[in-house]
């Protein structure tokens, strides 16, 4: 693996240096995310990921609606929880999926056959049934996305999507993010998004499929950022460019 650090790891390292310097003693509250983002000239998504990293290392306590509080200093922690250096920040992961899967959806629209459409409908029904019965797994969601990749008839693209979902399942950071989100009702909106993607695929509309998938994953990013917000319930900024130039209407 490359020795290069991910963006959130670089910011996390800088935040730990701030803790070690004595600027924020145990019990103190860190500045709001937007202030830290401005200080380091990075997006709030990267700051959110860096704080999850510190939380996993038992250095801070994230309190919903209150903020982030220092509970340990790096120099006083003999053996902080060892984090997987290959773990990907949840918003970085969603951005990668957005770039990859929007183009996969466009290609799938030119390749899929009737049996693919039938399987996608079954996946949506599985997802709908799970939500109605109160299940919290993402099996139907994952199946829907991997079936779209399968419909390209390109096994490498299918492997790439499956690998991203595996990384998500294995990600301590993804799991920690979701400990701050108690209500699962937002997931019902994904069914509507998935239906729009399927409709574009049924029309054999590559541009429509690309845009529907891009917007779906944009909605996921924004909603997870909003629901896990620590400082202010009114989220006030985009994580990344919402619509690529090539997806914008003329």
């Amino acid at each position: 693996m490359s020795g290069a650090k991910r963006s959130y790891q670089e910011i996390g390292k800088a935040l730990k240096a701030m803790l070690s310097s004595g600027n924020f003693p145990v019990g103190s509250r860190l500045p709001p995310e937007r202030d830290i983002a401005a200080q380091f000239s990075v997006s709030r998504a990267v700051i959110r990921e860096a704080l999850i990293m510190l939380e996993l290392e038992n250095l801070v306590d994230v309190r919903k609606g209150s903020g982030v509080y220092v509970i340990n200093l790096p120099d006083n922690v003999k053996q902080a929880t060892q984090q997987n250096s290959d773990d990907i920040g949840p918003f970085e992961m969603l951005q990668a999926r957005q770039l990859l899967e929007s183009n996969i959806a466009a290609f799938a629209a030119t390749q899929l056959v009737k049996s693919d459409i039938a399987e996608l409908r079954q996946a949506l029904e599985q997802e709908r049934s799970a939500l109605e019965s109160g299940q919290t797994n993402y099996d139907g969601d994952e199946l829907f996305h991997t079936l779209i990749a399968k419909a390209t008839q390109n096994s490498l693209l299918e492997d790439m999507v499956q690998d991203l979902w595996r990384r998500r399942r294995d990600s301590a950071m993804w799991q920690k993010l979701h400990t701050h989100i108690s209500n699962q009702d937002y997931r019902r909106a994904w069914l509507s998004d998935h239906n729009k993607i399927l409709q574009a695929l049924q029309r054999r509309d590559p541009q429509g499929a690309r845009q529907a998938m891009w917007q779906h994953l944009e909605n996921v990013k924004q909603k997870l950022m909003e629901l896990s917000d620590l400082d202010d319930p009114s989220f006030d900024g985009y994580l990344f460019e919402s619509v690529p130039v090539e997806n914008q209407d003329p």
Side-chain angles (χ1 to χ4, degrees):
M1 288 294 175
S2 171
K5 285 186 172 63
R6 304 188 191 284
S7 295
Y8 78 84
Q9 292 171 333
E10 293 286 2
I11 299 300
K13 181 180 178 181
L15 289 175
K16 286 195 286 187
M18 289 171 58
L19 298 184
S20 295
S21 70
N23 291 336
F24 297 98
V26 171
S28 64
R29 182 183 185 275
L30 293 182
E33 277 183 0
R34 56 175 55 85
D35 293 351
I36 302 176
Q39 178 181 347
F40 289 102
S41 299
V42 296
S43 71
R44 287 186 66 190
V46 174
I47 299 302
R48 183 73 51 85
E49 292 171 340
L51 291 173
I52 292 172
M53 169 183 157
L54 266 60
E55 188 179 12
L56 285 169
E57 294 185 1
N58 199 34
L59 295 173
V60 301
D61 181 28
V62 175
R63 303 174 190 173
K64 180 72 173 175
S66 178
V68 181
Y69 293 82
V70 180
I71 59 174
N72 278 305
L73 298 179
D75 297 340
N76 296 336
V77 177
K78 292 182 179 179
Q79 184 71 35
T81 302
Q82 291 299 308
Q83 184 190 350
N84 180 2
S85 61
D86 291 332
D87 202 353
I88 301 173
F91 297 104
E92 185 178 6
M93 183 184 298
L94 283 167
Q95 185 185 40
R97 286 187 57 200
Q98 190 176 39
L99 291 164
L100 176 65
E101 292 190 51
S102 60
N103 286 290
I104 285 177
F107 185 44
T110 70
Q111 302 294 314
L112 85 172
V113 296
K114 287 184 178 180
S115 60
D116 294 320
I117 294 174
E119 289 182 329
L120 286 165
R121 286 175 177 165
Q122 290 174 2
L124 285 188
E125 185 54 40
Q126 177 181 333
E127 189 176 359
R128 184 179 295 107
S129 297
L131 289 174
E132 289 176 353
S133 63
Q135 298 179 40
T136 57
N137 67 68
Y138 288 82
D139 294 350
D141 189 358
E142 178 177 353
L143 179 60
F144 181 78
H145 284 270
T146 54
L147 284 174
I148 292 174
K150 177 186 173 186
T152 65
Q153 302 180 45
N154 184 309
S155 61
L156 182 56
L157 292 176
E158 186 178 358
D159 287 347
M160 292 169 71
V161 171
Q162 289 176 341
D163 182 62
L164 283 169
W165 277 88
R166 178 192 59 76
R167 284 174 174 265
R168 172 179 142 158
R169 287 193 302 272
D170 295 344
S171 171
M173 292 191 67
W174 182 271
Q175 294 165 16
K176 178 59 72 174
L177 171 70
H178 281 263
T179 64
H180 304 299
I181 301 173
S182 57
N183 192 319
Q184 297 286 310
D185 289 347
Y186 69 94
R187 291 179 56 192
R188 297 184 182 279
W190 303 167
L191 277 173
S192 177
D193 287 352
H194 285 175
N195 272 310
K196 290 175 183 177
I197 295 167
L198 180 54
Q199 289 169 12
L201 292 171
Q202 288 176 296
R203 295 194 306 268
R204 307 296 200 277
D205 177 3
Q207 182 65 7
R210 177 186 289 111
Q211 180 58 41
M213 180 64 80
W214 182 276
Q215 189 59 53
H216 166 52
L217 290 168
E218 182 68 23
N219 293 342
V220 174
K221 286 190 301 184
Q222 296 290 343
K223 180 56 69 173
L224 291 183
M225 191 72 176
E226 172 192 331
L227 291 174
S228 63
D229 198 0
L230 308 172
D231 303 319
D232 188 338
S234 56
F235 175 54
D236 61 353
Y238 290 105
L239 302 181
F240 307 99
E241 178 63 34
S242 296
V243 182
V245 173
E246 63 269 22
N247 282 357
Q248 294 179 7
D249 293 331

